[in-house]
Amino acid sequence: MLKYLLSRVGQAVVVIFVVTLIVFFLLHQIPGGPARGALGLYATPEQIAAFNQAQGFDRSLPEQYGRFLLRLLQGDLGDSFTLNQSVGDLIAQRLPKTLVLTVLYVLVALAIAVPLGMWQAPRRGRVADYVTTGVTFVLYSTPAFFLAFVLIIVFSQTIPLFPAQAPQSDTLAGIFAEPGALVLPVATGAAATVAVFSRYMRSSVLDNLSEDYVRTARAKGASERQVLRQHVLRNSLTSVVAMLGYYIPRVFAGAIVIESMFNYPGMGLLFWNAAQTRDYPILLGVVLVIAIATVAGSLLADVVQALIDPRTRKARV
C-alpha cells in the first residue's frame, strides 16, 4: 500500500507542476500581455512599461516562471486588478462557501443516486427502468441555468416557498442561518449529479450481479435483498468513489453557474464577476485552485478505492 501511495503522490506532484506551467503560459497569452489586460486598451506605452517593470514582466520568461513558482509556494496568487485585494485572500474567503454548497448537493445527490441505481439494476429492461432512465437523461441534459430558472419561477414566484437569492452572509454561520435559501441552489446542483451517479451505480451493480460470488451467495440461500445489501453494495461503490474524484471539475463548473444564478457569495460568483471585468489574476488563481483540487480529489479517490478493493492498487503499481 505504501508503494502505491508514494507512486500516486509522485504522479500528483508532476501533474500540479504541469498545471503551474499551463497557468503561467495562459497569463502570457492575454491579448496585449498582462499589462494591457490590467490597464485597459487606452493605456499609454509609458504606463505599460511602468507596469511591466513593477510586476517583473520585463524579465526573461524562465526568471518570471521561477518568481511565479516561488510566490505560489508561499501562497501568493497575486493581487486583483479591480478589487485591490490579494487573490489568495479573496479565494480563502469564498472557497469555504463554495465547498459548503458543493458538498451539500453532492451528498444529497449520492443519497438519492446510490439507492436509485441499486433499485434500477435488478429491474433492467422493465418499464420502471426505462422511465427512470428517461428522467435521469432529461436531468443530465438540462443546462443548470435553465433548471435554476425553472426552480426560481416555480418555487420562488409561482409558489413562494423558498427565496430566489442565496444567503448573502460573509460567514459560514450566516449561510446556515438561512437554510431555506439554500434549498434551490442545492436542488439545482443535485439534479444533474443524481443523473450521473445513478447511471454509474446501476452499471456497477449490473456488472457485480453477474459475478461468481453473487451466484454463490444465492446458492447458499441468500435472498435478493441480502445479496444486494451485503455483497453487491460495497463492490459497486468502488466505481462511484473513483468517479467522485474525477467529478470535481464538473462540480466547480456547476458551482460557477449556480452561484451566479442565485447570487451565492462563493468562488464561482467571484470567477464570474472577474470574467466580466477581465480580472485575470482572479481567473488564473481560481483555475489553479480548481486544478489542484482536481488532482487532490483524483489522488484521494484512488487511495480510497485501493483501500476498498486491493485489486486496484495491484493493477496500478
Side-chain angles (χ1 to χ4, degrees), residues 9 65 67 83 88 103 115 120 123 151 154 167 215 238 253 262 304:
V9 170
Y65 177 72
R67 290 162 59 88
L83 301 177
V103 168
Q120 271 189 274
R123 295 165 178 80
L151 292 179
V154 174
R215 287 192 287 271
T238 56
F262 293 98
V304 172

Side-chain angles (χ1 to χ4, degrees), residues 29-196:
Q29 293 305 304
I30 298 171
R36 183 67 67 184
L39 302 177
L41 296 175
Y42 301 104
T44 64
E46 292 77 14
Q47 290 173 324
I48 291 177
F51 180 89
N52 286 335
Q53 185 175 12
Q55 299 295 324
F57 292 129
D58 58 340
R59 302 169 184 263
S60 65
L61 285 179
E63 188 176 356
Q64 287 186 52
Y65 177 72
R67 290 162 59 88
F68 172 76
L69 198 58
L70 183 61
R71 288 199 304 269
L72 285 182
L73 293 175
Q74 296 172 346
D76 182 5
L77 295 173
D79 296 317
S80 167
F81 293 158
T82 57
L83 301 177
N84 294 320
Q85 287 182 257
S86 166
V87 173
D89 291 342
L90 289 169
I91 291 177
Q93 293 168 8
R94 303 293 189 96
L95 181 58
K97 300 169 189 175
T98 295
L99 290 176
V100 166
L101 177 63
T102 55
V103 168
L104 280 176
Y105 80 66
V106 168
L107 288 178
V108 169
L110 288 176
I112 298 172
V114 171
L116 183 61
M118 290 196 66
W119 178 83
Q120 271 189 274
R123 295 165 178 80
R124 180 184 184 184
R126 300 181 187 176
V127 174
D129 182 38
Y130 287 131
V131 171
T132 306
T133 299
V135 171
T136 55
F137 275 143
V138 169
L139 289 175
Y140 181 73
S141 59
T142 301
F145 73 87
F146 178 77
L147 181 59
F149 270 129
V150 172
L151 292 179
I152 290 171
I153 291 172
V154 174
F155 295 105
S156 182
Q157 297 180 1
T158 306
I159 309 173
L161 294 177
F162 307 107
Q165 181 166 284
Q168 296 301 300
S169 175
D170 292 331
T171 64
L172 290 179
I175 296 291
F176 285 111
E178 303 178 62
L182 288 171
V183 172
L184 295 185
V186 169
T188 302
T193 310
V194 166
V196 172

